[in-house]
Amino acid sequence: MREDLIPTGILLKELNCSSVESLSDRIVLQKKIFLTQYLGLKLGYAYGWYLHGPYCTDLASRAYEIERVGVDDLPSYRLPQRIRTLVDVVNGLESNPELQAYKLSERYELLASVAYWRNKGFANNEIAEKITFYKPQFSVEDVFVGLRCVESLDVYRLTA
């Protein structure tokens, strides 16, 4: 594996999202990395708005390359505690009771979409308008569930 791919490969492995086989896999991968960056881990991936929410083409191409090589042969690496905490927080969203009605990819799509607009300084009502416009599968109530979850992540955000 190219040396510059190793940090992303390790993170994908730790986030349990290294597969790019299905659309759902790719959505989860993109959104987990986005949320990890939202929490303050500086990975350098630039996201824009796309059909399924925040999306980074550079991450997509790197993820395909990482999958071709495989994450099982990555060097053994122990994450620093502050990064381990962020990974655990992002992975823990899978078992959040408020999100159990959604498929895994929908959970991460909703949360990353909320975090994306929140990061851009939009107010909660504006976020709800944007998400329900771009993603009619989510109701205003769904968006406010997502907002509560994303706001609860703020205690874990890293500062410079």
Side-chain angles (χ1 to χ4, degrees):
M1 181 177 295
R2 283 189 358 229
E3 214 170 284
D4 63 315
L5 296 176
I6 291 173
T8 299
I10 290 169
L11 196 56
L12 292 177
K13 183 177 181 179
E14 293 294 324
L15 287 167
N16 306 314
C17 64
S18 60
S19 174
V20 292
E21 189 173 319
S22 71
L23 175 61
S24 291
D25 291 338
R26 294 187 300 274
I27 289 171
V28 171
L29 181 151
Q30 286 277 341
K31 299 339 174 214
K32 280 188 166 189
I33 293 292
F34 176 84
L35 289 166
T36 304
Q37 286 194 162
Y38 174 80
L39 290 174
L41 187 59
K42 293 176 183 7
L43 300 169
Y45 291 115
Y47 279 80
W49 186 255
Y50 193 67
L51 184 63
H52 292 282
Y55 181 81
C56 175
T57 55
D58 185 41
L59 173 59
S61 64
R62 286 171 173 255
Y64 277 103
E65 191 170 343
I66 289 166
E67 187 181 55
R68 268 195 309 276
V69 176
V71 295
D72 293 332
D73 294 330
L74 283 169
S76 179
Y77 184 78
R78 184 181 162 114
L79 294 175
Q81 186 55 48
R82 65 188 188 100
I83 296 173
R84 163 73 15 219
T85 298
L86 298 182
V87 166
D88 291 345
V89 166
V90 171
N91 282 338
L93 293 169
E94 295 177 20
S95 59
N96 184 311
E98 285 196 277
L99 302 170
Q100 293 306 305
Y102 310 99
K103 293 187 300 186
L104 185 63
S105 61
E106 292 172 335
R107 282 178 226 168
Y108 283 104
E109 182 176 345
L110 174 62
L111 295 173
S113 296
V114 166
Y116 178 87
W117 294 113
R118 195 163 185 261
N119 224 26
K120 293 197 172 291
F122 286 87
N124 290 354
N125 287 339
E126 294 171 311
I127 292 169
E129 285 176 24
K130 284 195 168 294
I131 292 175
T132 57
F133 176 78
Y134 288 118
K135 301 176 167 306
Q137 72 270 29
F138 295 122
S139 68
V140 171
E141 182 179 294
D142 294 333
V143 174
F144 279 93
V145 167
L147 279 162
R148 279 194 305 277
C149 291
V150 169
E151 287 168 356
S152 74
L153 299 177
D154 284 349
V155 298
Y156 298 101
R157 287 187 92 172
L158 299 176
T159 54

